[in-house]
Amino acid sequence: MATFSIHSYPFSFNLQILIFLFFTAKPISSFALQNNPNFDPYISLFGDARVENGSSNVILTRSHAPSSGLLLLDKPFKFVGEPVSFSTEFTFSLSPGNADGLALVFVPNGFQARFTSQGSFGLFGENMYLGIEFDTQKDDKVGDFNANHIGIDINSLESIKVSNLSSSSMVLNNGEPLKSWVDYDSSSKLLQVRLSTFDSKRPFSPILTYSIDLLEMWGTKDVFVGIISTSINGSSFSNVYSWRFRVRHVLNSMHSLPANPHKDSDGFRTGKNKFCAFTFLAGLIFGTGCGALFAFVVLFMWAILVSRHSVFPVECQVSPEDFRYEMVDVVVEKDNQFDKN
């Protein structure tokens, strides 16, 4: 991941910049997206992020250098209480050029007042965050192996898990719209990232997965969610065309089963085996009963058909009087011509 810093400037100049950013790091506009069906209604724009006239998408960076923009959901959420899962999907495009790319970030309160002065993705110097980076810069300092990858960052710019997009024939910064899905399941404590072209359906298999307990990470803190992009020399632009974020609160009773089946206790495995055996036995009994019923119906129908086509002899009472012998006189008349002779 490429980084840039303002530490090379004199201290007084740095101080002036920080004071300026502190007082100007307010949302530029949230009304611009309230009537846009492609975005959640409560999203604020920070830094260089803007919605240009006649456009329905958000441009995060400008032509000047350095440039950074942030989309931030106004309403935070907590992982405490009922188990919290979330799902988000967004479409974006990155133009070719010398830019860092784009990142989905989960940050604490106050981040929006600091991000513009903190280098790549605005995460430099933060000590608590979760980032899913769509990185288009190769930075050897943080272990990037190419300029076309997705990485998961936890409290560090060095990704803990990376997926090489070049192996899947996808390019992040060719200007084509892409769509990403990021899901977290609190029961399995699994974070999943999917990516496809804009006109493709949601992939069945994630391109990147990572096991993490976000409740343990965040505790009772408020969590803000944002999409951020930074550019080093202003030669490229980052666009966001849509963004939806959903939090799901799941009842504790639905999370009584262990998150990882390989870590089940012996007692749970025994109960599970008993349940499976009982289910198999019940299914066997039910199948046997259905088979017997089917056989009975077949036999019954066969008996009806056979009885319709069978011929039975009629029993008659015969008495000796019905048959008797009688003498019959037979008179034979000869032909007249024989009489003349």
Side-chain angles (χ1 to χ4, degrees), residues 72-340:
L72 191 71
L73 289 176
D74 295 336
K75 297 182 178 180
F77 67 96
K78 298 178 183 289
F79 283 96
V80 295
E82 295 178 350
V84 173
S85 303
F86 65 78
S87 297
T88 184
E89 60 179 80
F90 54 95
T91 56
F92 66 96
S93 67
L94 303 172
S95 63
N98 191 12
D100 295 317
L102 178 142
L104 176 73
V105 294
F106 296 79
V107 292
N109 190 19
F111 171 79
Q112 58 270 33
R114 301 187 299 268
F115 86 99
T116 54
S117 63
Q118 298 188 117
S120 181
F121 298 138
L123 299 174
F124 184 80
E126 291 291 324
N127 56 10
M128 177 174 288
Y129 63 87
L130 168 65
I132 293 91
E133 62 172 37
F134 301 81
D135 201 347
T136 58
Q137 279 289 319
K138 184 179 184 298
D139 188 355
D140 296 330
K141 295 180 180 179
V142 293
D144 291 343
F145 57 87
N146 69 6
N148 188 43
H149 65 269
I150 298 178
I152 296 178
D153 304 338
I154 299 180
N155 306 333
S156 173
L157 294 177
E158 185 173 355
S159 300
I160 58 175
K161 195 165 185 181
V162 178
S163 176
N164 180 13
L165 295 180
S166 299
S167 61
S168 59
S169 301
M170 282 193 290
V171 180
L172 288 173
N173 62 344
N174 63 357
E176 296 295 329
L178 300 173
K179 190 170 186 177
S180 178
W181 297 261
V182 179
D183 305 282
Y184 175 74
D185 181 62
S186 57
S187 61
S188 61
K189 297 178 176 59
L190 189 65
L191 181 68
Q192 297 182 336
V193 182
R194 290 173 171 84
L195 182 70
S196 72
T197 56
F198 177 74
D199 55 351
S200 299
K201 295 182 179 180
R202 173 187 169 101
F204 178 78
S205 301
I207 200 168
L208 193 61
T209 60
Y210 184 72
S211 297
I212 181 174
D213 188 350
L214 293 181
L215 173 59
E216 181 180 354
M217 175 180 176
W218 291 101
T220 59
K221 295 182 176 64
D222 287 331
V223 182
F224 286 83
V225 188
I227 296 178
I228 189 173
S229 180
T230 54
S231 176
I232 297 176
N233 60 11
S235 62
S236 62
F237 296 92
S238 303
N239 294 274
V240 179
Y241 304 98
S242 66
W243 182 27
R244 291 287 184 178
F245 184 86
R246 294 291 178 266
V247 173
R248 304 188 308 276
H249 295 274
V250 186
L251 298 177
N252 289 319
S253 59
M254 298 182 66
H255 289 266
S256 59
L257 300 180
N260 189 347
H262 298 289
K263 296 182 179 180
D264 295 347
S265 62
D266 293 336
F268 176 76
R269 278 200 296 267
T270 301
K272 184 177 180 180
N273 292 338
K274 289 181 179 179
F275 175 78
C276 293
F278 177 78
T279 304
F280 175 77
L281 182 60
L284 181 62
I285 295 175
F286 179 78
T288 304
C290 291
L293 179 61
F294 177 77
F296 174 80
V297 171
V298 171
L299 291 175
F300 181 78
M301 297 300 296
W302 178 81
I304 294 176
L305 293 175
V306 170
S307 63
R308 287 183 177 180
H309 293 81
S310 299
V311 178
F312 297 96
V314 179
E315 183 177 357
C316 300
Q317 296 293 332
V318 180
S319 61
E321 298 177 354
D322 294 334
F323 298 94
R324 63 180 180 274
Y325 293 95
E326 294 182 356
M327 297 296 295
V328 179
D329 295 332
V330 178
V331 178
V332 179
E333 295 181 359
K334 295 182 179 181
D335 190 84
N336 294 330
Q337 65 179 349
F338 291 104
D339 293 339
K340 290 179 181 182

